[in-house]
Amino acid sequence: MKPLKQITLDDMGHIALGGAFLGTGGGGDPYIGKLMAEQAIRATGPVQVIDVDDLADDALVVPVAMMGAPTVMLEKLPRGDEAISALRALEAVLGRKADAIFTIEAGGLNSTIPIAVAATAGLPIVDGDGMGRAFPELQMVSMTMAGVSACPMTMADEKGNAITLNTVDNLSTEKFARSITVEMGGAGLIALYPMTGVEAKKATLRGSMSLIHDIGKIVQEEQAANRNCAQRLGRELKGIRLFEGRVMDVDRRTTGGFARGTAIIQGLDSFEGREIRLHFQNEFLVAETDDGTALATTPDLICLLDLETGVPITTETMGYGFRVIVFGLPCDPAWRSDHGLQLVGPRYFGYEHDYVPIEDL
């Protein structure tokens, strides 16, 4: 993988596709963030991408993101300035300007909104993130494992409201911020986990922006060649084609600030006569057979791809009749530690599965 040095208009299509893939069904559709980033890049020029090791030790690094249920984001579009408002509010609390923008998760809408903020603020963006994919809750980041506090955290909505949070731990940050997000109409823009350069070097999952870009490029190249990208992605990312089938039912509800539910997929071709269930909380978390045997579980990635085009499908857009590939990918090794599994393992979400690496299932 060649490191990405800058993000131009030509790169945004690749990044949006790659972000949708690593979003594992969640993180929100990156299309709106793509449009916001393209508008900002047209106005200010390309965004510089920097290696975290190039940051000064005393630099201020700020992640920015959208928080809420992806189903809400389909209808409640950002006005456009909420993310920069959250950044400015956090800078005011800290009493200094940010030196770089950080991507909290390498998937969905939150892989593109930080680019828009970086372009607008005239700041570089770090080639890394805090998840290596998308997870549904704020404390589920490598910064938590590195001992970095989520607070002070600022939140902004499309009405001009801005709120600052200070909590006792990162799980409490998630709980309070989720309640506020619901009151904001189900979605809001946030700035949190302010880090020094020293902290960022310890906490960053590296190379995420370059990986997002490369995945999107693979998807587009395979589409241009009239091939489904699953085979090449499997080869280059050590991924596994878990299942192929047709979506027969989706039980989806928006509750507590999340999109939760289950999708039932009936097998096609070599998988005919079999059925699996995909359980999700914003992101796909567990894939299991109809007898309850796990095919893949969080923190490994479970991605849904269109069977014909290879385009990633999100939890809020999948529907009856979709012909899909269920694709699995090993997670970043950091999540396979004891601390990582406490944060994002299947039992945290209430599933009766012990984590087993996807390549061993």
Side-chain angles (χ1 to χ4, degrees), residues 62-75:
V62 178
V64 293
M66 176 174 272
M67 181 177 186
T71 44
V72 173
M73 298 175 199
L74 287 175
E75 298 184 7

Side-chain angles (χ1 to χ4, degrees), residues 212-223:
I212 291 169
H213 180 269
D214 285 356
I215 289 173
K217 187 176 181 181
I218 288 171
V219 174
Q220 288 197 334
E221 287 176 351
E222 295 303 283
Q223 286 178 330

